Amino acid sequence: EALEMRRRLFEEHHHLVAQSVMNLGLVRERLHQVAGAESLYRQGLEILQVNHPERWHDLADANQKIASLLNDNDRAAEAEIPYLKAIELYMQAPEDDRRLIADCMIGLGQTYQRLNRPAEAEASYVEGVDLQKKLYPGDSIVIAINLNLVGGAQYLQGKLTEEEASLTQALEL
């Protein structure tokens, strides 16, 4: 209903129409309608790319939603490029507002791990954790969870000493 209302009030290519399309995609995702969610996310992304390339934050959000959906539904090979694009776009954020880059780095690490690329997973996780440590020095739970991901990637590479250090650091938080 909201989408149809926005389409009536605004031109089809207005960024608020794209936002409504993306919101509907989120509803479909929550209903486990993966194909419908992906289609709507891509429609919203296309409206933004064609008509609002200056709205980098919205473009980054759309890419992150697509990447996360793909990654969560056993399509990790397709998730890497949208994650990288989201990270590139989020880099335009002010230095103290780069939380979403850290989230994308962790998601990208999960993608690499699913693709059996543990060295790249580790590097992505470490970059995400390092950024989280700078942005949220007091948020030890999130950092500890992600340090466990670092340890898992290190284990897969046979880096047991590094794994132990990461897991110990997580426990100390």
Side-chain angles (χ1 to χ4, degrees), residues 2 34 45 50 53 94 102 118 122 126 140 155:
V34 176
L45 177 61
V50 170
E122 178 188 4
V126 166
S140 57
Y155 169 78

Side-chain angles (χ1 to χ4, degrees), residues 58-77:
D58 292 339
L59 287 162
D61 286 346
N63 276 287
Q64 184 178 10
K65 281 179 172 43
I66 291 167
S68 179
L69 178 73
L70 295 171
N71 201 29
D72 291 345
N73 287 282
D74 298 323
R75 292 171 59 194

Side-chain angles (χ1 to χ4, degrees), residues 33-129:
Q33 298 173 359
V34 176
E38 180 183 359
S39 175
L40 289 163
Y41 286 157
R42 290 190 186 279
Q43 286 175 42
L45 177 61
E46 184 177 353
I47 292 169
L48 292 166
Q49 286 173 324
V50 170
N51 301 295
H52 303 284
E54 75 286 356
R55 297 187 66 87
W56 61 266
H57 196 280
D58 292 339
L59 287 162
D61 286 346
N63 276 287
Q64 184 178 10
K65 281 179 172 43
I66 291 167
S68 179
L69 178 73
L70 295 171
N71 201 29
D72 291 345
N73 287 282
D74 298 323
R75 292 171 59 194
E78 299 170 64
E80 180 180 12
I81 291 173
Y83 268 131
L84 292 171
K85 185 64 179 170
I87 292 165
E88 175 188 326
L89 289 161
Y90 283 137
M91 290 299 287
Q92 295 178 52
E95 193 72 32
D96 62 345
D97 186 27
R98 296 203 167 169
R99 172 187 61 84
L100 295 172
I101 295 171
D103 294 347
C104 281
M105 294 306 298
I106 299 300
L108 183 60
Q110 291 170 329
T111 297
Y112 289 144
Q113 194 140 344
R114 286 183 174 125
L115 294 172
N116 198 26
R117 292 161 53 186
E120 290 168 281
E122 178 188 4
S124 189
Y125 289 146
V126 166
E127 193 171 338
V129 167

Side-chain angles (χ1 to χ4, degrees), residues 1-43:
E1 236 178 89
L3 174 59
E4 289 308 315
M5 185 180 298
R6 282 194 172 168
R7 282 187 169 148
R8 283 192 306 272
L9 293 172
F10 303 107
E11 296 178 26
E12 183 70 24
H13 61 271
H14 195 280
H15 71 90
L16 292 177
V17 172
Q19 180 184 32
S20 287
V21 170
M22 299 289 290
N23 289 342
L24 188 55
L26 182 59
V27 170
R28 295 275 167 83
E29 183 175 357
R30 289 176 180 156
L31 292 170
H32 305 287
Q33 298 173 359
V34 176
E38 180 183 359
S39 175
L40 289 163
Y41 286 157
R42 290 190 186 279
Q43 286 175 42

